[in-house]
Amino acid sequence: MDHTERFWNASVDELKRGYVEDEASFMCLLCGKSVEKGIIYPDHDKLYEAERYMKVHIQREHGSVFQYLSGLDKKLTGLTEHQNRLLQLFYQGKSDKEVQQEMGIGSASTIRNHRFALKEKERQSKVLLTMMELLKEKDNHAPAIVEIPKQARMVDERYNVTEEERQAILAKVFPHGTQGPLKTFKLREKQKYVVLREIATRFEPGRVYTETEVNDLIGRDNPDYVTIRRYLVEYGFIDRKDDGSEYWLTT
């Protein structure tokens, strides 16, 4: 299970914490970084045991779990840009009057109404979450849906892919296995998404790549590797410097 799947399958407490634990390690739910238990990690003249080091990593690399989550696409959070901004200001500890002044809307009572609306959304979310958990116990016909990458941009129907569809697409376009050459990239958008998602797994979290290294990972035996590189950026799987000198896996 990769860190995207772990993210979507994590409990609320695990998401609040930002990492999950297994017998041997701690994994960051936000980027996939893993630290091994039983090892002392040196950092800026300090020594940290594994769990504490993971907390330092989240603070340094992601600011906070709240900050990371508020940066996700609105299709993933279910929040409008207006609601997201309000939550960010509330999280910063600003009073209703300060929020009203900063956003330049209504009055302090208007902000209280927004708080009420967000609280109502929270209650509705709890009910839906509980119903969906209960449904899992009864629905034996629900297909396994491929988890949407957290870095996905403009989430739409192309991301509606079952695990069975994913396997069939990969078998068709990677006839010699997913580490082998791609048969073609002249595909429908949903198929392109599946291919790009698979190619993105070749990149290591936290590592910076040159354009040459990116091309090699994609596979120079594929005549469309330049197009695929561009699509990896457009779909949000990887990011790059404006001059194309450095590329990295987004998280």
Side-chain angles (χ1 to χ4, degrees):
M1 183 183 295
D2 64 22
H3 85 275
T4 293
E5 291 176 298
R6 286 181 181 273
F7 178 92
W8 292 118
N9 286 286
S11 67
V12 172
D13 285 339
E14 288 171 334
L15 283 174
K16 286 170 60 178
R17 194 171 59 182
Y19 61 91
V20 289
E21 176 183 3
D22 60 26
E23 292 184 2
S25 63
F26 296 95
M27 174 186 280
C28 177
L29 288 168
L30 313 184
C31 69
K33 180 180 177 63
S34 181
V35 295
E36 186 177 345
K37 290 182 178 178
I39 293 179
I40 300 300
Y41 293 86
D43 184 87
H44 291 73
D45 299 324
K46 292 184 178 180
L47 299 175
Y48 297 101
E49 53 86 26
E51 186 168 16
R52 177 57 184 158
Y53 184 67
M54 176 57 68
K55 294 177 181 178
V56 170
H57 158 77
I58 290 173
Q59 181 179 24
R60 180 178 297 152
E61 298 300 324
H62 307 293
S64 69
V65 175
F66 185 94
Q67 182 177 331
Y68 178 86
L69 294 177
S70 66
L72 294 177
D73 187 274
K74 60 184 179 181
K75 286 285 188 73
L76 300 179
T77 64
L79 297 168
T80 65
E81 293 181 9
H82 183 74
Q83 290 171 326
N84 197 326
R85 182 59 180 153
L86 283 167
L87 285 173
Q88 291 178 38
L89 293 174
F90 294 151
Y91 187 76
Q92 293 169 18
K94 295 184 181 295
S95 67
D96 289 359
K97 185 172 181 58
E98 289 172 327
V99 172
Q100 180 268 324
Q101 291 174 341
E102 181 154 345
M103 296 192 70
I105 55 173
S107 62
S109 63
T110 302
I111 303 302
R112 286 195 294 274
N113 289 336
H114 283 301
R115 283 186 182 274
F116 178 82
L118 287 166
K119 192 68 178 178
E120 187 69 13
K121 192 175 184 69
E122 179 191 17
R123 287 191 286 266
Q124 292 168 348
S125 298
K126 285 182 179 179
V127 172
L128 177 59
L129 179 60
T130 303
M131 291 175 67
M132 292 302 293
E133 287 296 317
L134 292 170
L135 178 60
K136 290 177 185 177
E137 300 173 6
K138 296 289 186 179
D139 189 358
N140 298 319
H141 304 289
I145 302 296
V146 175
E147 298 293 359
I148 299 175
K150 304 188 302 301
Q151 68 274 24
R153 300 169 183 170
M154 296 174 61
V155 177
D156 54 29
E157 65 276 358
R158 84 190 77 173
Y159 293 93
N160 184 15
V161 181
T162 67
E163 181 61 30
E164 185 177 2
E165 286 176 316
R166 186 183 78 89
Q167 294 290 350
I169 292 169
L170 293 178
K172 180 179 179 180
V173 299
F174 288 105
H176 303 291
T178 54
Q179 293 302 312
L182 180 66
K183 185 177 180 180
T184 180
F185 196 61
K186 293 179 173 61
L187 304 165
R188 299 193 302 274
E189 288 303 311
K190 178 181 287 192
Q191 295 171 319
K192 285 179 180 177
Y193 158 64
V194 171
V195 169
L196 294 169
R197 188 179 190 276
E198 184 63 31
I199 291 176
T201 64
R202 302 175 184 178
F203 292 80
E204 297 177 20
R207 178 177 169 181
V208 175
Y209 296 86
T210 65
E211 185 174 287
T212 297
E213 291 173 325
V214 172
N215 293 340
D216 289 339
L217 279 176
I218 294 171
R220 290 180 179 274
D221 48 358
N222 181 351
D224 292 323
Y225 67 86
V226 174
T227 302
I228 293 173
R229 188 183 69 225
R230 175 169 58 83
Y231 266 79
L232 284 168
V233 174
E234 289 183 1
Y235 269 70
F237 287 106
I238 63 174
D239 207 345
R240 67 174 184 177
K241 284 190 172 181
D242 290 340
D243 61 3
S245 61
E246 293 183 356
Y247 291 77
W248 58 90
L249 187 70
T250 55
T251 57

